[in-house]
Amino acid sequence: MDLNDAPDEPFETMEMEFFHDLADYVDAHKKRKRTAGDNPLREWTPHTDDWLAELLRLEGRCGYSETDCAGCGSEQSPFRCRDCFDVRMWCETCVLERHQDLPFHRLETWQDSLYFVKVDLKSLGLRIQLGHPSGERCTNPERAFGDDFVVLDLSGIHQVALDFCGCTQALSRPTQLLRARLFPATPTNPKTAATFTLLRHFHLLSNQANVSGFEFHTTLARLTDNTGLDPPPDRYPSLMRMMRMWRNLRMFKRAGRGHDAAGVKATAPGECAVICPVCPHPGKNLPEDWKSAPPERQWLYRLFIGIDANFRLKRRAVSSNDRDPGLNHGYAYFVEETGYKDHLRKYSDLVQETTSTCSNHDAVRLVNSKGRETTDATGIVTIECTRHDMKRPCAVGDLQKGERYVNTDYIFQSSLKGSDHVVLVVSYDIACQWSVHFWERMNKYDPQWDAAGRRFIFLIPKFHLPAHQASCREDYSFNYTKYVGRTDGEAVERGWSAVNGFSGSTRDMGPGARRDMLDDVFADYNWRKITRLPNSILTKVKNIVELRSNQVLAFQAYDEKVDPALKAAWTTQVEAWEASDGASPNPFAVTRRPITMAAVRLKLAELEADELKARTQRRDQNAAPHATLDDLISPYALISQGLEHEEEQRRLKEKKADLGSRATDLQKGNVVVARNALHRTIEAWQAVQHLYMPTVAAHRSRDASRSTASSLAEDLPLYLPSNVIELLMPVDRKLQDIEWELRVGLAHDALEDIRRLICVKRKLLEVKGRFISGQHHNTRARGVITRCDKKITQARAKYHACYEALVRLAPALDKTHWRRDTGLQKLDDNDVRHMSEPDPTKEDEQTEGTRTISWIWTTKGARSGDDDEDEQEMLRIEWCQARARAHRFTEEGQLLEEEMRRVVQFYEWQASWWRARMDSWEGRSAEHREGLVAYARRQADLRVSMKALCQKAWASGPFWLSQGARL
């Protein structure tokens, strides 16, 4: 749409009408789909007998007689072709004449006037002549060795009679086969070949549907004979060898290596990779002055890359690089093997893994250390663009023992060789650890590696970020970092789903065959992404408009209510942090210190120390010192021990519940011993409690006199102040204050346990889903996850007990706003979920941009300082987050507009590059020269067509991006 033709209606009106029309169309389409999806089958069912009759009719001669040849009228015409469109009967002479150029069709003959049986053209005398035009016989034909040449075609595995040309000017036998579009299995005296049609079909089928070579060969064998009575010769090894050569040749062809007179040996590292046309490529799709662009434009030329390992693509210790070196020597995605192994031998002992200061990531990095003796590669590590999910050249390498820095560093350096980018945004799930000594390691490998002084911004993917500690979530977040748009950094993870299906095929391959295979898989994956760019980018453009408007309007509404002085201070702080690469204080960080049980204990112990000091001073002033109740046990110690007994009672009840009906005497004895020990401890504690709380002694004696009262230690009532208040009995205010403080700290400890265990469970589920297979390992993993669930239940029970006690104490202590002050709330089932998980009770909160976080992740403990300061910090963080959301969505719109421009310019550059190939070499002959020019011209025109398709799809893109609210 031309902007000059845009209607004058407000965008909001146009937008609503568009979405209403779209909704009506979708509903109508669904109705048509339901109707059309069911009726054809119901309509067909009455015709089943008719259709079945037609299938059976084809088993006969279909009304044609074997005594009347359709070609010459001969009385002997028992033959029919199963692959031709014509179902008439033919004599032997006519059927051979018709199939001179169709040598791989399958014939059948009417046997004894009873039924059809298969017959091959070789048995009828058909011979395939190479080296001459069709119908021209060679004066000196040379039969293939043994005259049992085998050709693999989509119709099956054929044994044919094949003659090579033996004339004086005859070409080599492999060349004769190739010119007949038959791909030889060996370059010397070939006896097996495959049609180009079959190789193209299997090439695409294997990449699209993960069909293995063994399955495909078995299918061909069953097409040839599905009874087992006459099995065809086994050509599975030959098929795999031909496919490997075919993939290699296709790679060189599409990279333009055939247009270079120096040949494939002059191929540069990574030259054969299918590169992403959306990423910034200096000299290809960036403006000439991109390096000197102003800051408000310079950030658009950043390169976004991500790092990740895949432990499913392992390889067993079979073959070796000496026996199977591979055909691709760093030409595409895998790095060159010799240099890689030399690097590992040189630096494996010099580069040490740093001790993690965040979550324990060793479980992931070393997950495949088991079975090391039978595994040569535990997986692969790769670098790819995180915005468009495409593999980068020379950016894949094998892992030998987990995800070690020495491996990742080499692959990272290799992927950026020859790169002129000024700023790179690097996404890695352990970026908080890997980036710590990054420059120290890089300078150790090669001091001149970054002579240009590039700037690296290290971030953690959004899905992985919640598993990290709070400081990492604040410093390595895509959501808070300026000039990254709505990039999530998870593109590498998403790409594995399309590649993991090849793990079964590549696990037992040799090292070279596996690298060649995966290089081809990655190239096909990138190409599929490229073909979908017009629709995928257009969808992003349309989606970003409404989302950006919502976030910008939300921020503007919030921003208007903030005090101007505070807003100015917050703006200065957040802009200083964005400009300093994290050197300035992080405005998103929470500085309030949460109240924990340890902090409460310290606070009460200090108060108790002050009281002891004051009492000592009073005693010194009195002539006759006298003993007090505090000398026996302090009130703090009394309540603290009571809470410990309460926890011990819960644990004892859990042990009792776990016994079950088949518990052993030893298990039962352990429970009885623990119960007796707890009973004696509680009795001793009760004796002191009665001194502080005399009314409890009388109440407890009345309870003991009742026949229904339980004497088991786990059932003994403790009568803590929160329980005594409920019974309307008097209790010292000081004891209530102590229990209140201890309960608040204990509740926050329980919340911290819940948060930690939820993160552990999520990581366990992730590891189980990605890396664990087999019944034994899955059973063990489920056991660990079950124990984690049990600990979460225990922590919830502790929190629930504390919360209920606080509910009873609050009225007596006049704590009206205690929930706000302590940050504690009632803990429901839907609150116990990971930070990145949506609320299961709210269907409209299922995405990152719309979901709400459970309150257990946002509470930061009691307000230990000035309420105004705490309130301002909460407002500042929320303001900064709202501002960041608005800015990220606005940046995303700008990035999408730039990416559309880059794709169009890249296709222009690529078309001109192919046109230059037309004149790069004269070729080996006139025929060869014609083929070189034709292929280059076709590739150039293809890029022109792809460019036109993108321009047509994105014609309204600038209009969409210009609408809605913007900053």
Side-chain angles (χ1 to χ4, degrees):
M1 177 185 294
D2 193 331
L3 290 180
N4 296 324
D5 297 333
D8 297 329
E9 297 177 277
F11 172 72
E12 291 76 8
T13 303
M14 294 175 52
E15 187 180 33
M16 292 303 297
E17 292 179 354
F18 169 78
F19 285 112
H20 284 313
D21 294 342
L22 180 62
D24 293 341
Y25 170 78
V26 171
D27 291 341
H29 177 70
K30 288 181 178 178
K31 292 179 181 178
R32 288 197 303 270
K33 188 176 181 181
R34 285 194 297 269
T35 303
D38 296 336
N39 286 345
L41 287 179
R42 289 199 296 266
E43 294 174 0
W44 171 79
T45 302
H47 302 284
T48 304
D49 292 332
D50 298 336
W51 290 37
L52 180 59
E54 290 300 319
L55 293 181
L56 290 172
R57 176 180 176 273
L58 290 172
E59 292 294 322
R61 291 170 291 175
C62 301
Y64 299 104
S65 171
E66 74 276 12
T67 60
D68 187 11
C69 175
C72 64
S74 171
E75 296 182 356
Q76 297 294 326
S77 54
F79 301 102
R80 185 176 73 178
C81 181
R82 296 176 59 188
D83 297 322
C84 286
F85 184 78
D86 194 347
V87 296
R88 292 180 296 175
M89 307 294 289
W90 303 84
C91 67
E92 180 175 333
T93 302
C94 290
V95 79
L96 286 176
E97 183 179 351
R98 286 174 55 85
H99 286 84
Q100 283 295 326
D101 297 326
L102 302 170
F104 309 124
H105 276 202
R106 296 166 295 176
L107 301 186
E108 51 190 9
T109 182
W110 186 253
Q111 186 177 34
D112 300 329
S113 299
L114 298 175
Y115 55 88
F116 280 109
V117 295
K118 66 179 182 179
V119 60
D120 57 61
L121 286 166
K122 179 182 179 181
S123 65
L124 299 181
L126 179 68
R127 302 197 67 83
I128 302 173
Q129 178 63 58
L130 301 182
H132 292 270
S134 177
E136 180 181 314
R137 303 304 302 174
C138 179
T139 59
N140 186 28
E142 296 178 352
R143 294 189 175 185
F145 182 79
D147 200 21
D148 57 352
F149 202 89
V150 177
V151 176
L152 280 67
D153 184 60
L154 284 177
S155 57
I157 302 174
H158 303 274
Q159 299 183 66
V160 300
L162 185 141
D163 295 332
F164 292 100
C165 174
C167 300
T168 56
Q169 301 298 324
L171 302 172
S172 66
R173 292 190 171 187
T175 303
Q176 292 183 45
L177 287 167
L178 289 170
R179 293 196 175 184
R181 285 179 284 193
L182 296 174
F183 198 91
T186 59
T188 306
N189 292 327
K191 291 187 61 176
T192 303
T195 62
F196 283 15
T197 302
L198 176 133
L199 295 178
R200 277 194 295 265
H201 182 84
F202 179 49
H203 190 187
L204 187 61
L205 184 67
S206 62
N207 285 332
Q208 181 65 39
N210 301 340
V211 175
S212 69
F214 180 80
E215 292 170 338
F216 187 72
H217 181 270
T218 302
T219 301
L220 293 177
R222 292 185 62 185
L223 279 172
T224 307
D225 178 72
N226 201 24
T227 65
L229 299 176
D230 185 23
D234 182 12
R235 289 296 186 269
Y236 171 64
S238 298
L239 173 63
M240 298 307 295
R241 184 168 57 252
M242 287 186 288
M243 276 307 305
R244 191 170 169 187
M245 293 187 290
W246 175 265
R247 288 190 174 98
N248 185 253
L249 289 173
R250 295 283 292 181
M251 178 192 72
F252 286 131
K253 182 181 178 182
R254 65 171 174 259
R257 294 308 308 150
H259 292 71
D260 188 346
V264 298
K265 291 184 178 180
T267 305
E271 187 177 356
C272 295
V274 179
I275 62 176
C276 174
V278 198
C279 284
H281 299 284
K284 297 181 177 68
N285 62 358
L286 291 184
E288 295 182 359
D289 61 343
W290 69 275
K291 285 189 177 182
S292 59
E296 60 270 16
R297 296 290 302 173
Q298 176 64 240
W299 70 274
L300 293 171
Y301 310 132
R302 289 179 171 183
L303 178 64
F304 292 81
I305 57 176
I307 309 173
D308 194 40
N310 185 329
F311 294 106
R312 288 189 181 273
L313 292 173
K314 60 181 67 176
R315 191 185 74 82
R316 292 174 180 163
V318 295
S319 190
S320 65
N321 281 299
D322 293 333
R323 296 177 59 188
D324 182 18
L327 301 175
N328 300 346
H329 305 293
Y331 299 152
Y333 304 95
F334 269 88
V335 295
E336 197 276 321
E337 188 70 8
T338 303
Y340 184 35
K341 291 298 177 63
D342 290 343
H343 169 85
L344 296 179
R345 281 190 292 268
K346 183 176 181 180
Y347 294 105
S348 289
D349 296 333
L350 299 178
V351 177
Q352 302 296 328
E353 306 292 309
T354 57
T355 303
S356 177
T357 58
C358 184
S359 303
N360 184 14
H361 302 283
D362 291 341
V364 178
R365 300 212 317 268
L366 305 178
V367 66
N368 282 288
S369 59
K370 294 183 179 180
R372 175 73 178 85
E373 63 281 355
T374 62
T375 303
D376 189 63
T378 60
I380 64 173
V381 62
T382 184
I383 316 293
E384 69 174 57
C385 62
T386 53
R387 283 192 59 83
H388 321 109
D389 186 18
M390 297 190 204
K391 298 291 184 295
R392 289 178 54 78
C394 294
V396 182
D398 285 331
L399 296 171
Q400 290 72 40
K401 186 180 179 181
E403 201 170 340
R404 297 185 301 169
Y405 291 172
V406 67
N407 296 81
T408 305
D409 293 344
Y410 183 88
I411 304 301
F412 185 77
Q413 282 190 338
S414 176
S415 71
L416 296 181
K417 281 186 177 179
S419 169
D420 293 331
H421 299 92
V422 177
V423 181
L424 297 93
V425 180
V426 183
S427 171
Y428 195 11
D429 53 9
I430 55 172
C432 58
Q433 306 301 311
W434 181 69
S435 63
V436 174
H437 299 290
F438 173 79
W439 288 112
E440 178 183 333
R441 297 194 308 273
M442 294 299 153
N443 291 330
K444 181 181 295 185
Y445 305 141
D446 181 8
Q448 301 299 320
W449 174 71
D450 189 45
R454 289 171 290 191
R455 176 189 171 203
F456 293 88
I457 301 174
F458 299 101
L459 300 174
I460 297 174
K462 291 183 179 180
F463 179 80
H464 292 77
L465 189 62
H468 289 251
Q469 64 187 16
S471 60
C472 295
R473 295 197 297 268
E474 295 159 354
D475 296 337
Y476 294 90
S477 173
F478 273 95
N479 291 326
Y480 300 158
T481 304
K482 188 178 182 181
Y483 293 149
V484 297
R486 288 287 297 163
T487 311
D488 59 11
E490 296 289 355
V492 191
E493 295 282 353
R494 288 191 288 268
W496 292 135
S497 60
V499 180
N500 286 337
F502 296 92
S503 60
S505 302
T506 59
R507 184 181 299 119
D508 295 309
M509 286 183 177
R514 174 172 166 273
R515 290 193 295 269
D516 294 346
M517 175 71 176
L518 291 178
D519 268 340
D520 188 70
V521 170
F522 295 148
D524 179 76
Y525 181 77
N526 281 10
W527 180 251
R528 278 186 283 167
K529 286 283 186 178
I530 290 173
T531 59
R532 293 196 291 263
L533 280 178
N535 290 331
S536 62
I537 293 184
L538 180 62
T539 301
K540 292 180 180 179
V541 169
K542 291 183 177 181
N543 291 338
I544 199 64
V545 175
E546 182 182 11
L547 296 173
R548 180 186 62 187
S549 296
N550 293 339
Q551 296 298 334
V552 170
L553 292 174
F555 170 66
Q556 290 174 348
Y558 188 5
D559 188 63
E560 292 174 356
K561 301 175 183 178
V562 177
D563 181 81
L566 290 176
K567 181 166 55 177
W570 296 343
T571 302
T572 301
Q573 184 178 358
V574 71
E575 289 180 350
W577 179 76
E578 290 174 342
S580 65
D581 285 343
S584 298
N586 191 332
F588 299 93
V590 177
T591 58
R592 291 179 300 149
R593 183 179 180 183
I595 294 298
T596 63
M597 191 61 177
V600 171
R601 290 181 185 275
L602 176 61
K603 176 182 177 181
L604 293 177
E606 291 173 347
L607 292 175
E608 184 179 358
D610 293 339
E611 292 179 359
L612 288 173
K613 182 178 180 181
R615 188 164 62 248
T616 302
Q617 292 176 352
R618 288 196 300 269
R619 286 179 179 176
D620 293 340
Q621 295 173 0
N622 297 330
H626 59 279
T628 64
L629 187 58
D630 287 356
D631 293 332
L632 182 62
I633 184 174
S634 68
Y636 155 72
L638 174 73
I639 303 301
S640 180
Q641 291 179 12
L643 294 177
E644 291 176 359
H645 296 332
E646 183 183 69
E647 177 65 20
E648 291 170 356
Q649 286 181 321
R650 280 196 296 269
R651 292 177 182 173
L652 188 55
K653 289 178 181 178
E654 292 170 359
K655 288 183 179 180
K656 181 180 176 182
D658 292 340
L659 285 179
S661 58
R662 297 184 179 181
T664 64
D665 291 341
L666 178 61
Q667 292 172 331
K668 294 178 181 178
N670 290 336
V671 172
V672 173
V673 170
R675 177 182 293 143
N676 293 339
L678 179 59
H679 202 291
R680 290 191 294 269
T681 305
I682 290 179
E683 283 185 339
W685 176 80
Q686 288 174 344
V688 180
Q689 183 191 28
H690 293 165
L691 299 176
Y692 278 96
M693 306 168 66
T695 56
V696 171
H699 190 81
R700 182 173 280 131
S701 62
R702 288 196 298 270
D703 285 346
S705 63
R706 299 172 183 171
S707 58
T708 57
S710 174
S711 61
L712 299 178
E714 62 269 26
D715 297 326
L716 292 177
L718 298 177
Y719 294 118
L720 291 165
S722 56
N723 305 118
V724 174
I725 291 176
E726 192 175 24
L727 298 174
L728 302 178
M729 293 189 298
V731 60
D732 189 354
R733 172 66 181 256
K734 182 178 181 180
L735 297 179
Q736 297 179 46
D737 289 332
I738 292 174
E739 184 181 1
W740 176 272
E741 296 290 344
L742 291 173
R743 289 284 191 185
V744 170
L746 200 59
H748 280 286
D749 276 357
L751 279 180
E752 180 59 28
D753 290 340
I754 292 173
R755 290 191 291 263
R756 178 178 54 82
L757 290 168
I758 289 175
C759 291
V760 170
K761 179 183 177 181
R762 186 177 184 85
K763 179 58 68 176
L764 289 172
L765 289 172
E766 179 185 346
V767 171
K768 178 179 178 294
R770 292 180 59 193
F771 310 123
I772 296 179
S773 60
Q775 182 177 357
H776 172 69
H777 295 296
N778 270 293
T779 301
R780 293 189 63 183
R782 283 195 297 269
V784 175
I785 294 172
T786 301
R787 290 195 294 273
C788 186
D789 282 330
K790 184 178 179 181
K791 291 182 178 179
I792 292 176
T793 303
Q794 294 172 351
R796 289 185 62 181
K798 181 193 294 187
Y799 179 84
H800 179 72
C802 293
Y803 183 80
E804 293 299 322
L806 292 173
V807 170
R808 295 190 294 269
L809 287 169
L813 296 175
D814 296 328
K815 294 187 178 292
T816 307
H817 304 293
W818 66 276
R819 291 182 179 86
R820 183 198 66 184
D821 296 335
T822 61
L824 302 175
Q825 303 179 32
K826 184 179 179 181
L827 188 64
D828 295 326
D829 292 339
N830 60 311
D831 294 326
V832 184
R833 53 189 168 91
H834 196 265
M835 181 186 298
S836 60
E837 294 176 0
D839 189 341
T841 63
K842 299 179 181 179
E843 296 183 358
D844 58 340
E845 295 186 1
Q846 302 300 316
T847 64
E848 175 67 24
T850 58
R851 64 175 176 81
T852 55
I853 299 176
S854 172
W855 68 266
I856 67 173
W857 302 96
T858 58
T859 183
K860 290 297 182 179
R863 299 179 185 277
S864 56
D866 188 351
D867 286 347
D868 291 337
E869 293 181 0
D870 292 332
E871 187 72 25
Q872 286 185 14
E873 178 167 313
M874 294 178 64
L875 291 174
R876 185 203 74 222
I877 294 175
E878 181 59 32
W879 181 87
C880 290
Q881 291 176 344
R883 176 185 180 275
R885 286 190 292 268
H887 278 266
R888 298 299 85 78
F889 275 96
T890 301
E891 293 164 2
E892 181 68 15
Q894 296 172 338
L895 267 176
L896 289 172
E897 188 171 8
E898 165 64 15
E899 287 175 345
M900 289 189 292
R901 186 204 61 79
R902 286 204 297 251
V903 172
V904 171
Q905 186 175 345
F906 182 87
Y907 287 146
E908 291 176 353
W909 168 85
Q910 206 167 39
S912 63
W913 186 88
W914 275 111
R915 293 190 191 100
R917 301 281 83 71
M918 294 166 54
D919 301 322
S920 61
W921 185 31
E922 291 299 324
R924 298 182 176 182
S925 63
E927 298 171 358
H928 183 212
R929 165 68 180 169
E930 184 180 27
L932 290 174
V933 174
Y935 184 76
R937 182 177 286 113
R938 179 161 66 89
Q939 292 298 320
D941 290 349
L942 175 63
R943 268 58 184 191
V944 172
S945 299
M946 295 173 72
K947 169 192 169 184
L949 178 62
C950 290
Q951 289 176 324
K952 180 180 178 181
W954 303 335
S956 60
F959 168 73
W960 279 93
L961 292 173
S962 66
Q963 306 304 310
R966 289 175 294 171
L967 289 175

